[in-house]
Each structure stands twice: as C-alpha cells, then as structure tokens.
Amino acid sequence: MENINIIRKFSSVDEEAKVIKENLEKVTKYAMAHDGALSRMADKSFALVDNEISNYNELNEKAKLATLSFCAKKAGIKEIKSNADVINAFSNPTFATVFNSIIVDVLQSVVLRNRPEQIFRLANVDEVDVGDSKTYEIETKGLPIAQRTSYMTNVTFLDSYSRTSITVKPQPYSMGTTMDYIRILANNYDMGREIARVAAGLLYAQLRLIVEEIYSIAPIQGTPLYQANWNAANYIQMIEDLKMLNGGADVTAYGTLPAFNKIGVLATTNFGFQSQDEMIREGYLGRAYGVDNVVIDQFTDLSQPFTNASASTLRAIPNDRIILLSSVGDKPVKLVREDFIHVKVKEPTEGSQYRQNYEYFMSFDAAIVTQANYGIQNVTA
C-alpha cells in the first residue's frame, strides 16, 4: 500500500482547481440526490443543484476532462487523449497527488456539508481538526436542596451543583473502492456517481453510529424513560415525564413505519372506525397520545444481497423501538468527526493492472452526551 500525498484544501490556493472542484461538487451532489441507492444519504439542499445543471452528462464529462487536463499540466504531461496516456498519467506521482487532492477536496465538502434531515434530527454534529477531540460539559439539572432545620441544628449539606466532562474522540474508519481508470476516458464513465458512492459510504457509517447510540437501551434501562412493553398509560406518563424533565418542551416520537404501525394497531384496538381508517390509509397514526409521530425512512448500504436471511441485518434502523425526543437544541447523540479525509492507493491485483484500488480514511465517533432527557418505547405488546 502506498501513501498518496494530499495537498489540503488544494482548491483554495488554485483558482483553476477551484472551478474544477465546484463542478465536481455539483455532479456529485446531483448524483447523490437523484440516485435511488444514494439519495437517503443526501442532504435536502443537494436537490437545489438541479437549478445549476441543465445537462448532467455534459457537465460530468466537462468536469472529468478538465480534471485530467489540469492534473496532467501540473505533472508536465503533454496531453491525455488515449488509454495509454491515462495509464502513464496514473503512474506519475505528481499527477496522482494532484488528482487525489482534488477528489479528496470534493469528498470533504460533500461529506461535511451533508446532514440527512431525518437521521440528524437525533444528533448534534461537530467537526474538529485532525487529531483533535471534543469535550462536552454536562451540568446538573438539580436545584439547590432546602432542608427543614433551625439556627442551632447541625445538618448535612448536600451538593447542589456538579459538572461532568465527556470527551468524544474520533476513531479512524476506512473503506475500499476501485477505479477502472482504463475506462475513465469513456463517455459513460460517471465521475459524479463514483465520488458520490464514496461519500455515501462514509456517511452511512456515521449515520449507523448515530442509530446504534440513540436506539441503545443501556443508558436509560431501569428508568421510567424506557418501556420494554407497550402500555398506553405508561407511554403517556413517559411523555409527561419528558416534558417535566426538559422544561416543558414539546415531545415528538420518531421511528420507522413498521414500528409506528405496531403501536398504532395496539392503540386503536377497541376504538372507533376513524382512527382505524387512518391506520389502513396511512399505515400509522400521524398523531397519538398528544405527540406527533415522525416516520424515519429506513436506509441500507446493500453490502450483501437482500434476502430473507440478510434483511434484518441490512435495515439500519430497528423496527421494534420508538424514540421520544423533546424539541430542544441539545440532541441526545453527539457525532464528532475530523474535517479531513485521507487516501491510500494499493497495488492493482493480478489480472486487473488497469484498476486502481483506493482506501479512504476518515475519523469520527458518536456517543450519548446530553443534558436533555429522552425516552425509548418498545413496540412489543
């Protein structure tokens, strides 16, 4: 494996590279927003790029050729017009450095600006520099404690204030991908989608971390804020408790359609036709027990064939739990990620000498860090 030298924020110091990067960003965002397999990882704002692209294929081809031409010029290569030129170019260290610096620059912009709305409602996101971590200070909600006493009585004084520090340190994650660079000159080589696939893979890992943290029952097990079985009275009490603990803020329920469907069936048993009609029409109740129910779309990385055996593993969000959150800015999960993506290139495997193997590295981690309280309701009857 060979380390590739990356010039950080390369486009910010070269005007021509900046234009190339901006066009590559546009086609990458377009690809993420319009590709069915990638769109769940795309920020809503990515769809706005439609207003800037009249012909995706044309801009994609223009951006690809401009990238190759610019890298060749920086490497002292006269031109890239044939497959042989491409092969020679990618074996040139300067060409490889400039090419990967541009690609990484695009990846960083796309990943760091991307916050898929539904999942990121559950988390706050912070970016740190390479090697840094983020420390959060959690203060007690408790009031000073008043005790009955007299001027002459000795009493035990209880601490009324405390602060806890929680540090989240990004951990390295890597993913491998290949580029068949002998095809890069072909008209059907979709550079925007190739970059979008890498970005979506890195984002999927981050979103999976958020889900694993927020859906874990361990932090609140043994408290009234986790209910292992469905009971309407306990559910209503949990909602009321969350309002009390979070200063009266409104509570919203989040979950998948199957999760809300299971609770909806239980909730409408022995009730009128109107609520049952809504269940049949929508698949769930949009509002129940005084709170709005917000459906989170399921997502997957399709890392293996979708079969009966693998389906439950490929679904990223559990279908057996509902999350109750207050409408406060302090989300239960904190995702901390470095603002840099690193890349290494591996030697091509035998029989595929025209295929470049890349490994992308990005560091991030997530943890439950919050002063707000949240609840989890299991949908088991």
Side-chain angles (χ1 to χ4, degrees), residues 357-369:
N357 299 323
Y358 289 104
E359 190 170 1
Y360 292 93
F361 295 81
M362 186 177 184
S363 293
F364 45 84
D365 203 4
I368 296 290
V369 183

Side-chain angles (χ1 to χ4, degrees), residues 258-294:
F260 279 128
N261 180 267
K262 290 173 186 176
I263 279 188
V265 170
L266 295 171
T268 56
T269 301
N270 300 323
F271 280 81
F273 289 117
Q274 185 174 349
S275 58
Q276 292 178 2
D277 285 347
E278 184 179 353
M279 279 292 301
I280 295 171
R281 185 174 62 253
E282 304 294 341
Y284 76 109
L285 298 175
R287 185 173 174 83
Y289 301 106
V291 301
D292 291 329
N293 295 329
V294 177

Side-chain angles (χ1 to χ4, degrees), residues 133-197:
S133 58
K134 177 79 173 177
T135 298
Y136 300 89
E137 300 287 343
I138 307 299
E139 297 180 0
T140 181
K141 289 183 175 181
L143 298 174
I145 299 171
Q147 304 168 74
R148 182 165 183 170
T149 184
S150 70
Y151 290 111
M152 303 302 293
T153 303
N154 290 324
V155 298
T156 301
F157 285 89
L158 304 177
D159 289 336
S160 63
Y161 176 84
S162 64
R163 176 179 289 190
T164 303
S165 297
I166 300 177
T167 298
V168 182
K169 181 173 178 56
Q171 302 298 318
Y173 285 76
S174 69
M175 58 175 291
T177 186
T178 62
M179 183 180 71
D180 191 1
Y181 60 82
I182 198 69
R183 288 185 53 250
I184 200 167
L185 287 178
N187 289 334
N188 64 348
Y189 185 84
D190 193 340
M191 200 158 184
R193 189 174 186 278
E194 290 300 312
I195 300 173
R197 288 179 67 249

Side-chain angles (χ1 to χ4, degrees), residues 4 41 44 68 71 114 135 147 152 157 161 200 202 207 211-212 217 230-231 271 277 282 298 313 329-330 353 363:
I4 293 291
M41 300 295 109
K44 264 189 172 182
L68 294 175
C71 296
N114 197 331
T135 298
Q147 304 168 74
M152 303 302 293
F157 285 89
Y161 176 84
L202 292 170
L207 299 180
V211 169
E212 288 171 0
I217 65 173
W230 170 255
N231 178 284
F271 280 81
D277 285 347
E282 304 294 341
Q298 189 63 262
T313 303
D330 183 17
Q353 65 268 34
S363 293

Side-chain angles (χ1 to χ4, degrees), residues 20 35 85 93 99 113 122 125 127 129 163 169 180 187 193 200 210 255 310 315-316 327 361:
I20 293 170
D35 188 295
D85 294 334
F99 181 85
R113 293 175 186 173
L122 311 179
V125 185
E127 274 97 32
D129 204 353
R163 176 179 289 190
K169 181 173 178 56
D180 191 1
N187 289 334
R193 189 174 186 278
I210 293 171
S310 66
R315 297 183 189 117
S327 56
F361 295 81

Side-chain angles (χ1 to χ4, degrees), residues 201-222:
L202 292 170
L203 285 163
Y204 178 84
Q206 296 170 32
L207 299 180
R208 193 76 192 239
L209 269 180
I210 293 171
V211 169
E212 288 171 0
E213 290 294 331
I214 190 65
Y215 275 86
S216 172
I217 65 173
I220 56 176
Q221 193 169 21

